[in-house]
Amino acid sequence: MSDTAATTWLTQESFDRLSAELEELSGPGRAEIAKKIEAAREEGDLKENGGYHAAKDEQGKIEARIRQLTLLLRTATVGEPPESTGVVETGTVVTAKIFGEESKFLLGSREIAADQDDLEVYPSSSPLGAAIMGLKVGDSTSYTAPNGKEISVEVVAVETYRG
């Protein structure tokens, strides 16, 4: 895996938002779920205690998110979006013809565009992202999808991400 794929580009706003989420989950979030588990334990038989099992599941999800955020923030590159030079790179918005249909997406982490539900996000490590990384407007290539199909893609436009 290259350094580019291991590093996630984030805006300062995204970094701050994710840091605040990590702080909330690591402190009050953990304390709250511990209380729920303790309260459910006091109800008795753990085998048939739905509240206990639900709380343990929630605890597992919180701990997984804490690990994900910790790694993400540790390896993140924080700064302004890269200015588009017409070359596909992490942090750019790409318009491409995929299988003949035009699609517009951000190449990077979902965490960058968390507030923009209308913009699809593909990681640069995805089959599509890896195939188009470094291509210029007008370049074409193809990649193998997870289902084994060969998919053609043509880069139509590359723009600076504006958030």
Side-chain angles (χ1 to χ4, degrees), residues 45 66 73 82 94 119 149 155 160:
D45 186 9
I66 288 171
L73 293 171
V94 179
L119 185 62
K149 286 187 178 180
V155 177
T160 300

Side-chain angles (χ1 to χ4, degrees), residues 37 42 62 70 75 81 89 92 105 108 112 116 118 128-129 135 146-147 150 154 160:
I37 291 170
E42 291 173 2
I62 287 173
T70 301
T75 60
E89 59 183 313
T92 56
F105 55 89
I112 300 169
Q116 293 190 4
D118 60 329
L128 172 61
L135 295 183
N147 65 6
E150 195 68 18
E154 177 189 347
T160 300

Side-chain angles (χ1 to χ4, degrees), residues 15-29:
F15 183 86
D16 293 344
R17 177 177 40 79
L18 295 171
S19 294
E21 180 184 351
L22 177 60
E23 190 173 316
E24 173 66 27
L25 290 174
S26 298

